[in-house]
Amino acid sequence: PRTPPRSARFEAPGQPVILTGLASGWPAAAKWTEAALRDRFGERCGFHVGGHTMSLPAFFDYCASNADEQPLYLFDKRFAETSAAAGGAEPGLAADYAVPAYFSADRDLFAQLPGGCRPDHRWLIAGGTRSGSAWHVDPNATSAWNACVRGRKKWVLTPPGQPPAGVTPSADGASLTSPVSLYEWFRVFYSSLAEARGGGGGGG
């Protein structure tokens, strides 16, 4: 029998899905090493890091040396423009990856908006050990695809209406708050979440 399209198998029921091998063929897989990025951009441009502007060499040095419980991490929505302006003869970082066919332009409703009206839609995210975002709900009922180009990243997801232990949703469910840092949440609450979901210590 014909396999149902992914939209029916995953999107309609709201089922998370992992697609493997998509990023391995991107130029970014080979070009986004620490040494190559240091050489490519040097001190010529800054990226958004926890409310600060840092060059990539300064950011990499911070990642390697900090002992913060909740380290800063790079979260930049203008990385494409910034890197294109500072890359010299090389194109910007946006040229180093391709939007997978599953998320093609003809399925991108934001792409139908008039020029200048589209909200922010792409980010470069990088961080060292213990860094990461707090528990959150994506704004305005949007969703996103993520790709891990180098290193490792852990995602923890819970079903709608089932916030994890130690996290409190707002009255409308649009935002979440937690009284502890991300690192402390993993130390205190993560094991109970994994056990409740039948995963032992394996993750969610």
Side-chain angles (χ1 to χ4, degrees), residues 51-71:
H52 307 278
T53 298
M54 297 177 70
S55 68
L56 286 181
F59 174 67
F60 289 137
D61 290 344
Y62 164 80
C63 289
S65 62
N66 88 87
D68 301 343
E69 180 176 310
Q70 191 162 345

Side-chain angles (χ1 to χ4, degrees), residues 15 26 35 40 43 51 61 77 93 123 128 134-135 144 175 181 197:
Q15 178 71 37
W26 292 346
R40 184 172 173 181
E43 301 291 337
D61 290 344
K77 63 186 179 183
L93 294 172
W123 288 262
W135 278 99
S175 61
S181 69
R197 301 187 65 188

Side-chain angles (χ1 to χ4, degrees), residues 7 10 17 44 89 97 124 178 198:
S7 57
F10 302 110
V17 60
R44 293 189 298 279
Y97 70 92
L124 175 67
S178 175

Side-chain angles (χ1 to χ4, degrees), residues 23 27-34 37 125 127 147-153:
K31 297 170 67 175
W32 289 12
T33 66
E34 178 180 336
L37 291 172
I125 304 173
C148 185
V149 178
R150 301 195 72 83
R152 295 183 298 172
K153 177 178 173 66

Side-chain angles (χ1 to χ4, degrees), residues 84-158:
E90 275 204 82
L93 294 172
D96 293 341
Y97 70 92
V99 176
Y102 310 111
F103 315 109
S104 58
D106 62 332
R107 304 187 66 230
D108 183 355
L109 298 181
F110 282 140
Q112 310 307 314
L113 295 173
C117 294
R118 177 173 188 149
D120 299 323
H121 64 286
R122 59 185 178 186
W123 288 262
L124 175 67
I125 304 173
T129 302
R130 301 181 308 283
S131 66
S133 66
W135 278 99
H136 63 277
V137 177
D138 285 345
N140 304 320
T142 57
S143 58
W145 61 272
N146 293 252
C148 185
V149 178
R150 301 195 72 83
R152 295 183 298 172
K153 177 178 173 66
K154 188 178 189 71
W155 286 268
V156 182
L157 310 176
T158 63

